[in-house]
Amino acid sequence: SKAAGRNTHRFFDPGMQEALHARSSLEIDLRQGLANGELFAHYQAVVDPQGKVHGVEALARWNHPERGAISPVEFIPLAEQTGLILPLGEKILRAACEQLVRWAASEQTAHLSMAVNVSARQFRQLDFAAQVLQILRETGANPRRLRLELTESLLLGDIEGTVARMEELKREGVGFALDDFGTGYSSLAYLKRLPLDQLKIDRGFVRDVLTNPNDAAIVRTVLALADSLDLTVVAEGVETVEQLGFLCLHGCVQFQGYLFGRPGPVGGVEALLDGGA
Ligand code: C2E
Ligand code: CA
Ligand code: CA
Ligand code: CA
């Protein structure tokens, strides 16, 4: 009720007031930043054991006029809470598709695939598939080069709806990866029902794969599971040759991480193209 709403301020201490103020001012900045072109995509290479580039993942970036670069870890949750993830997600997807079109024009880059992150808020829109197909049509990008990265939490709940939405895009050639795999709750039965193409092993498991036997066991299990379900695997967050060695030994053939390249402007990825040994 109104009266209750008026009373709630009594429970806010000054720290909470400050936090709320900071959040709402960042929300205003995000809204403005979207309109002003402060948000854009960077790209990180996905490579094979020889360092040959398979494709990239698009990652949203925000250059705030006063605060400089703000991490997606901060602004993506805010964008999700406020609904701004809808225009932001569309912007990143469009930029990614436009990049695919530029790459399609040259023999050296035409094979590259593009992964784009999709948040729950976007995916649950009833016309999500239609929106993606429209952007593909408008840009002229090849749907077969596009892969959408979904998270496990996003897939929980309405499995029929989820599968139907995925199938609508798969019919046109769009692929799907399950991001941050191992951090969520997917049962094997559940995993089998989804028309996925790829699992991405969360970098939390890769980080300590050489020192933590549990993480090593999880990584080996995911690789074996993916093999039996006919899914490709990308190991995320590969930073050392020792991690790479372990992953290769257990059959992983695609990697993403600082060892190969940090996310950056597209030129950084293109420079890697002739660098593969
Ligand atoms: P993610 O999808 O799991 O993306 C991988 C993250 O790992 C990226 O963080 C990337 O910069 C980081 N990373 C890659 N290699 C390494 C490495 O070797 N070591 C370390 N320590 N980190 C590495 P980033 O760019 O900060 O993005 C964080 C998260 O924000 C993403 O995690 C994703 O969940 C979300 N995000 C980013 N862009 C978008 C977007 O356009 N849409 C949506 N919905 N979410 C996004
Ligand atoms: Ca991702
Ligand atoms: Ca991930
Ligand atoms: Ca992650």
Side-chain angles (χ1 to χ4, degrees):
S1 75
K2 255 209 166 137
R6 237 186 339 253
N7 284 335
T8 48
H9 74 273
R10 284 190 202 153
F11 302 107
F12 291 158
D13 62 40
M16 284 174 77
Q17 292 275 26
E18 226 164 84
L20 281 173
H21 176 75
R23 188 182 165 276
S24 70
S25 106
L26 196 64
E27 178 184 342
I28 291 166
D29 286 3
L30 182 58
R31 202 176 293 277
Q32 234 162 44
L34 263 169
N36 296 346
E38 294 164 18
L39 286 111
F40 55 94
H42 267 173
Y43 301 93
Q44 184 179 31
V46 177
V47 304
D48 75 8
Q50 280 75 46
K52 186 175 180 299
V53 183
H54 277 262
V56 299
E57 176 177 3
L59 293 157
R61 292 293 179 261
W62 182 9
N63 256 336
H64 189 283
E66 282 124 39
R67 292 179 51 191
I70 297 181
S71 167
V73 176
E74 190 173 346
F75 72 78
I76 292 289
L78 178 67
E80 282 168 349
Q81 286 153 25
T82 55
L84 290 170
I85 194 69
L86 300 179
L88 173 58
E90 182 180 335
K91 188 183 185 94
I92 300 296
L93 180 61
R94 194 175 289 276
C97 287
E98 285 166 354
Q99 186 54 54
L100 276 178
V101 171
R102 284 191 289 274
W103 279 339
S106 151
E107 203 180 312
Q108 203 200 6
T109 51
H111 68 284
L112 295 173
S113 65
M114 174 70 68
V116 176
N117 294 287
V118 173
S119 80
R121 187 99 177 231
Q122 292 172 272
F123 188 77
R124 292 202 185 112
Q125 288 190 290
L126 290 178
D127 63 343
F128 174 74
Q131 284 180 40
V132 172
L133 293 176
Q134 188 182 344
I135 290 171
L136 282 163
R137 262 195 312 275
E138 283 170 8
T139 56
N142 181 352
R144 300 197 167 277
R145 296 281 172 268
L146 180 66
R147 194 170 50 249
L148 300 179
E149 297 195 354
L150 311 177
T151 54
E152 289 169 88
S153 59
L154 175 158
L155 300 170
L156 293 177
D158 172 25
I159 183 143
E160 272 83 24
T162 295
V163 171
R165 211 156 298 174
M166 290 171 77
E167 291 292 358
E168 193 178 341
L169 287 162
K170 283 200 74 75
R171 272 197 298 277
E172 305 297 320
V174 176
F176 286 94
L178 192 49
D179 206 355
D180 304 341
F181 188 66
T183 60
Y185 319 90
S186 303
S187 71
L188 292 186
Y190 196 86
L191 202 57
K192 242 184 125 167
R193 290 187 60 189
L194 298 170
L196 290 165
D197 303 281
Q198 182 174 86
L199 300 178
K200 296 191 81 171
I201 303 179
D202 190 70
R203 74 179 144 92
F205 301 115
V206 172
R207 187 181 52 222
D208 300 325
V209 78
L210 294 154
T211 51
N212 183 328
N214 293 328
D215 289 347
I218 288 169
V219 167
R220 284 197 310 268
T221 305
V222 172
L223 286 165
L225 174 69
D227 189 48
S228 72
L229 292 175
D230 247 335
L231 302 171
T232 63
V233 178
V234 173
E236 299 187 302
V238 181
E239 295 184 357
T240 69
V241 285
E242 289 78 17
Q243 291 166 341
L244 177 65
F246 178 96
L247 292 160
C248 285
L249 185 66
H250 295 285
C252 191
V253 293
Q254 291 189 57
F255 314 91
Q256 196 178 339
Y258 295 170
L259 180 63
F260 304 99
R262 291 183 178 246
V266 78
V269 173
E270 289 169 353
L272 290 176
L273 287 174
D274 18 51

